[in-house]
Structures are given as C-alpha cells and as structure tokens.
Amino acid sequence: MRVVSSFSEARSAAGEAYHRSGGEEGPAPIGLVPTMGFLHEGHLSLISRARRECRVVTMSLYVNPRQFNVSSDFDRYPRSFERDCELAAEAGVDVLFAPPTSEMYESTESTSIHPGPVTRTMEGAGRPGHFEGVALVVAKLLAGLGAQRAYFGRKDAQQLTMIRRMARDLRFPIEIVGCPTIRESDGLALSSRNILMSAHEREAALEISRGLWAAALAAEGGERSADVLRRVVTRDRSRVAWEYVELADQDDASMLDVLDRPSFLAVAASVGEVRLIDNVFFDTGSDGLAVDRGIVLEGPSLLYR
Ligand code: PAF
C-alpha cells in the first residue's frame, strides 16, 4: 500500500498499481472509498466491495473541518493514523490518500457547492453548513482522484442521496455505490463516535436500532403511514433525546407521508454529548417491500480493539 498526501501522487500511484495489476479487461479500473479514518467494519465492508469490483482501490482519509458545524465535535472526532494504515493495508487498499488541509483547500479558493433542497431537511436542518462541507470535499475527491466508482455507506442516507444527485447534476463520470450499514452484534449502527459513549450511554443508545427495527417489522406487516412508523420508533423509548424521525424519499430526501416508494426511515438522537444517526431502507417493487436493516456483526467490533 502506498501512502500519499497529494492529489497528483494519488493519481499516479493508482495508475501504477493499475498497470502492475495487468490486463485491460475485467472490473472497473479504480474504486474510491472516502473516509474520515478511525476505521471500523463499516469502512472495511466498503473496501472489500471496492476490492471485488475494481482493479485498484484508493482510500482517502481526511477529517474534513468544513463539514463539522460545531468545532468541539471536530476536535473530539477520534483519530488514529497508524491503526488506520494497518487496517487499510490488511483490507487490500492500494493507495491511501491522506492529504494535509493545505492540499485539500487553498486559502485563495472561492468556489462553494450548494446541494439544494435535498439537504434542507433532517441532517441539513440540524447541522447548518454540514452538507455544503461534505459536498465540497466529496466533489474534490471525485474530480481529483481518477476513480470510476466511489463507495459510500447507507448509514449516512441523506449524504448518499445528496452525493448521488451531485454526481449526476455535475456530470461526474463516476458511479456512486451505496452499501449496507454494518451494526455491532447488539444492533447499534457502527460509527467511530460509538467509542465516545460510556457503557451506560451505549446501552441507552440501543433504543435507536430497536425503535427502527420495530418500525421495520410494522412496515413488513403492512403499515404504510409515515406517522405511525415514526411513532413506533420512539414509543416507550425515552433514554435518548430524539431530534428527528422521518420517512424520506431515497431519490431526493423529501419527506413522505406514505411508504409507497423507495425510501428510508431516518433518525437522529443524542445520548449524553454524542449525537447518533441511523436508518432502515425500504425498497418497493413488484415483489412487495424489501427492508434493508444492515448487516449485524457476530462478535465485538474492532472499534474496541
Ligand atoms: O461519510 C464520511 O465519512 C464523510 O462525510 C466523507 C464522505 C468521507 C466526506 O468527508
């Protein structure tokens, strides 16, 4: 694995790895896995999907200050570069792009990206400026690293919708691939923030996945009212501070009253100082409703190793 810190080095390292891998045929040339580090099985599942589908895997590691609307959240965000390098190499990353802020942003630059209505609700409403920050950094990664596919987790559902639309609107020649949420063995969605909770808070946080799973069961039983599904999530669960529970369209993140199309039921809630998000995806088709609750790990996550 090559560790590089500039866009141009990352492109040449990926090009060299591509030529070393031989042949013209086969899967997509370069797959990109954008991350903010402190890797866990969620990131590893993106890397392994990219590994299966692409000849070269580039992973970016950059804790993007522009997407944190609260600076203490940026300061507290867990970081561990050496651990990330080891895990990325073991998982089969060819090129690890870890730029300093001066490489990502020039002091004189003036372009910004406003992703529009898709980001006005849910995370966009609660975290002003967050999606503008994500859009700008992701646009730089999509434009600057030469990948043909980029892999993102469904856990950040609204982010995934926004990135798909941005890539389409700006005509990026890149396929955006959404991958299932990975959960700890008791159902808590994996997030680097999980390590910031005490044991007591972590136990309380299980209300989030339990609420979503109860709603998923209700939907599988035929419930289609967004109001009812939202109430099922929070009913008798008051150990977390619910910020929002919404049923949203997968295509444009608009709010739905009825589950009648591909959508996701998304929540944000805080436990102590830690803010968590989670969701379940609903796909509707001629075969009826398919629910994606994510994938549950069998043992303890490497977050705690
Ligand atoms: O999902 C994340 O980890 C970040 O938002 C991303 C896509 C790497 C951009 O900083």
Side-chain angles (χ1 to χ4, degrees):
M1 182 178 80
R2 288 260 318 269
V3 180
V4 298
S5 58
S6 73
F7 279 97
S8 61
E9 283 173 305
R11 278 194 306 272
S12 12
E16 283 159 26
Y18 179 71
H19 288 299
R20 271 200 312 276
S21 73
E24 297 292 317
E25 301 297 316
I30 302 170
L32 169 66
V33 179
T35 80
M36 297 206 297
F38 212 80
L39 301 187
H40 51 62
E41 288 86 347
H43 303 105
L44 300 187
S45 74
L46 305 181
I47 296 170
S48 101
R49 173 99 180 253
R51 195 59 289 163
R52 285 200 303 278
E53 296 181 355
C54 307
R55 188 155 302 176
V56 174
V57 179
T58 296
M59 182 187 107
S60 63
L61 192 174
Y62 179 65
V63 185
N64 174 30
R66 304 240 185 145
Q67 69 187 77
F68 289 83
N69 55 312
V70 178
S71 62
S72 57
D73 194 23
F74 173 70
D75 297 339
R76 283 191 326 150
Y77 199 82
R79 294 163 170 89
S80 175
F81 186 64
E82 256 143 53
R83 174 185 175 281
D84 287 339
C85 286
E86 265 171 44
L87 289 168
E90 263 172 43
V93 168
D94 299 294
V95 180
L96 172 55
F97 171 54
T101 288
S102 55
E103 175 69 10
M104 193 57 87
Y105 299 107
E106 276 175 33
S107 56
T108 53
E109 72 182 43
S110 69
T111 301
S112 50
I113 298 183
H114 298 283
V118 66
T119 59
R120 294 221 176 105
T121 54
M122 301 183 287
E123 290 303 284
R127 303 178 68 190
H130 167 67
F131 280 121
E132 281 74 12
V134 176
L136 189 59
V137 83
V138 171
K140 286 174 187 245
L141 297 170
L142 298 187
L145 293 174
Q148 289 72 37
R149 282 188 200 175
Y151 296 82
F152 297 88
R154 276 186 151 185
K155 169 159 172 288
D156 292 293
Q158 192 178 9
Q159 167 176 286
L160 179 60
T161 300
M162 183 277 279
I163 291 170
R164 276 193 204 289
R165 292 187 77 92
M166 177 180 73
R168 198 161 75 206
D169 293 348
L170 298 183
R171 306 288 191 263
F172 284 122
I174 190 160
E175 185 186 339
I176 304 299
V177 184
C179 303
T181 297
I182 309 292
R183 299 180 177 281
E184 299 198 33
S185 54
D186 54 11
L188 183 67
L190 269 173
S191 160
S192 310
R193 290 187 164 92
N194 292 358
I195 62 154
L196 301 174
M197 287 185 279
S198 68
H200 185 70
E201 287 170 338
R202 212 194 152 289
E203 172 62 30
L206 292 177
E207 288 196 338
I208 299 172
S209 50
R210 288 184 184 146
L212 283 168
W213 289 11
L217 209 58
E220 283 170 331
E223 185 56 65
R224 293 291 177 270
S225 153
D227 252 1
V228 174
L229 294 173
R230 293 162 58 201
R231 280 202 300 273
V232 171
V233 175
T234 56
R235 186 181 298 149
D236 300 328
R237 296 185 179 88
S238 53
R239 293 174 69 198
V240 301
W242 299 99
E243 189 183 309
Y244 65 76
V245 184
E246 297 290 0
L247 183 69
D249 188 321
Q250 278 184 36
D251 188 50
D252 61 8
S254 62
M255 309 287 79
L256 300 176
D257 293 328
V258 180
L259 198 183
D260 59 358
R261 67 194 77 176
S263 51
F264 55 86
L265 186 62
V267 310
S270 296
V271 192
E273 296 287 294
V274 182
R275 183 178 183 279
L276 300 167
I277 59 170
D278 197 356
N279 62 66
V280 286
F281 268 68
F282 298 119
D283 286 299
T284 48
S286 48
D287 295 349
L289 185 77
V291 181
D292 174 8
R293 295 171 168 81
I295 295 167
V296 181
L297 294 177
E298 279 172 16
S301 164
L302 52 83
L303 267 183
Y304 305 101
R305 244 198 246 155

